[in-house]
Amino acid sequence: APWPSSSAPGGGGTRRGAGGGEPCAGYASVMVVPGIVACVLALEPLQSAGNAPAAAAQAVPMPAAAPATAPAPAPAGPFLDFQQRPAVTVDLDAWVPRLTGTAKVGAGGTTFELNHDLAVDDSVPAFAGEFAVWLDRWRVGMIGFQSSAGSTERAGVGGTFGTTVITPGDTISGTYSAWMVGVEGGYVLWRPFADRPLPWDGAGANRDRATSVLGANGRPRFDAQVLVIAGAMCFDYQQQLTDVTTGSSSSFDKFVGCIYGGVGLDLWMGFGGRVPLVQDVRLYADVGIGPSIPDADILWMIRAGVCMMFTPNVGIELGYRLFDFNLQSGPSDVDGGLRGLFGGLTVKF
């Protein structure tokens, strides 16, 4: 760059070195380098100021991320299990039994057929009922029945009943009366579709099946229970025969107790509206057997039926009941049974 002229007296227009009129390069270099340095130093604070926000942003601590939380477990759905609140069932039935078997009454008595020789072969509606409370695996309740019948007819066979001698063709009149009342307990040993099928199973042992077996209405589509049964009962049997032709009359009377055991099976099928008017159908069978007291003769019974529930609380049932007994009193022996169909009302609450 050209250098400025000097206006001092005696001064020339240019500054020359010793060798003549060339500009002084050393002076220019000295002046340019300090100028560059000054520009760099002037720009450095501006760069520092421009980078300050970023630095400040880097220096500001960021809030810590919230720890991840595990999702709350979904609530457990309904499943089939034993009831923790008592449930009560009441069965009130009309039973139409027929007396069968044999009877030999008195020393030297004749063995007669009960169902057609002694005028006690009529089938007359009788009462039979059951009451049970269900809680967890237990079922405890009462059972009983009362039956009686009689008729008058011509004797078809002859023989001796007690002290009454019967001649074929005589007019005879016969009656019998029987009643039983007992207490019974049951315990569910196996319920294959429940959450706890066996008594020693813990909660959840069968949860998948116990959940899938329930229908849309919350009631089981199918359920099965196998029970052991134990009970005690009293039984009374009376029979009388009169030969109207001769006026002679004899009777047999025996009262016994009994301790018995057995097994039971309960099957439930839920329809949930698929069949009109029917909510559930129950199939059941109970068998009990034990010795009479004090004679140690055998008494045994069978109850089997089907129950149709029209609402969760009310239904009807139909079935078959058998009560078989062997009674002895001195020289007399009655080996009989009451068997027949029954039907009635079932209430559950």
Side-chain angles (χ1 to χ4, degrees):
W3 292 93
S5 298
S6 174
S7 57
T14 59
R15 187 176 180 183
R16 299 182 182 271
E22 295 299 322
C24 183
Y27 178 79
S29 298
V30 170
M31 295 302 294
V32 169
V33 170
I36 293 173
V37 172
C39 289
V40 170
L41 294 177
L43 289 173
E44 188 172 288
L46 297 176
Q47 291 175 351
S48 300
N51 293 334
Q58 293 177 356
V60 174
M62 299 297 292
T69 57
F79 54 88
L80 182 63
D81 200 6
F82 292 92
Q83 296 186 123
Q84 300 305 311
R85 294 185 304 171
V88 179
T89 58
V90 179
D91 299 328
L92 303 173
D93 299 321
W95 181 33
V96 188
R98 185 179 184 189
L99 181 63
T100 62
T102 61
K104 182 177 78 69
V105 178
T110 303
T111 300
F112 292 100
E113 295 289 335
L114 289 171
N115 55 337
H116 53 71
D117 290 344
L118 299 175
V120 288
D121 54 345
D122 283 354
S123 294
V124 177
F127 169 78
E130 298 181 31
F131 168 84
V133 178
W134 296 76
L135 179 61
D136 199 62
R137 292 183 178 269
W138 293 96
R139 183 188 76 184
V140 181
M142 299 184 66
I143 59 174
F145 68 81
Q146 194 282 328
S147 176
S148 60
S151 64
T152 299
E153 59 187 44
R154 295 281 185 178
V157 296
T160 303
F161 183 89
T163 59
T164 301
V165 178
I166 303 170
T167 302
D170 286 355
T171 299
I172 58 174
S173 176
T175 61
Y176 85 89
S177 175
W179 61 264
M180 181 272 288
V181 63
V183 293
E184 183 177 276
Y187 184 78
V188 179
L189 277 183
W190 186 43
R191 193 178 183 185
F193 295 93
D195 190 53
R196 297 171 292 146
L198 297 168
W200 47 85
D201 286 335
N206 195 31
R207 182 63 53 86
D208 289 344
R209 178 180 285 185
T211 302
S212 62
V213 78
L214 294 184
N217 61 353
R219 300 172 69 82
R221 290 192 294 265
F222 188 80
D223 189 17
Q225 300 184 52
V226 178
L227 304 91
V228 291
I229 295 172
M233 63 179 172
C234 299
F235 176 63
D236 182 75
Y237 178 80
Q238 300 178 21
Q239 185 173 350
Q240 185 172 6
L241 178 73
T242 299
D243 188 322
V244 178
T245 302
T246 63
S248 177
S249 180
S250 297
S251 63
F252 173 86
D253 187 357
K254 184 70 175 182
F255 174 87
V256 296
C258 178
I259 303 294
Y260 65 91
V263 295
L265 175 65
D266 257 289
L267 302 177
W268 282 86
M269 292 177 288
F271 289 95
R274 294 189 297 271
V275 176
L277 301 178
V278 179
Q279 288 269 345
D280 305 300
V281 172
R282 176 194 178 207
L283 304 174
Y284 65 92
D286 294 334
V287 178
I289 185 170
S292 65
I293 301 171
D295 301 322
D297 294 318
I298 296 299
L299 280 72
W300 61 284
M301 57 186 172
I302 295 175
R303 308 189 305 271
V306 54
C307 175
M308 292 175 287
M309 300 297 292
F310 300 125
T311 74
N313 305 103
V314 179
I316 62 171
E317 65 175 355
L318 302 170
Y320 181 83
R321 180 188 295 265
L322 179 148
F323 188 87
D324 196 271
F325 52 91
N326 188 359
L327 305 174
Q328 296 184 18
S329 179
S332 303
D333 177 69
V334 175
D335 185 4
L338 293 164
R339 61 201 69 202
L341 299 175
F342 68 84
L345 179 70
T346 293
V347 179
K348 181 179 179 181
F349 54 91

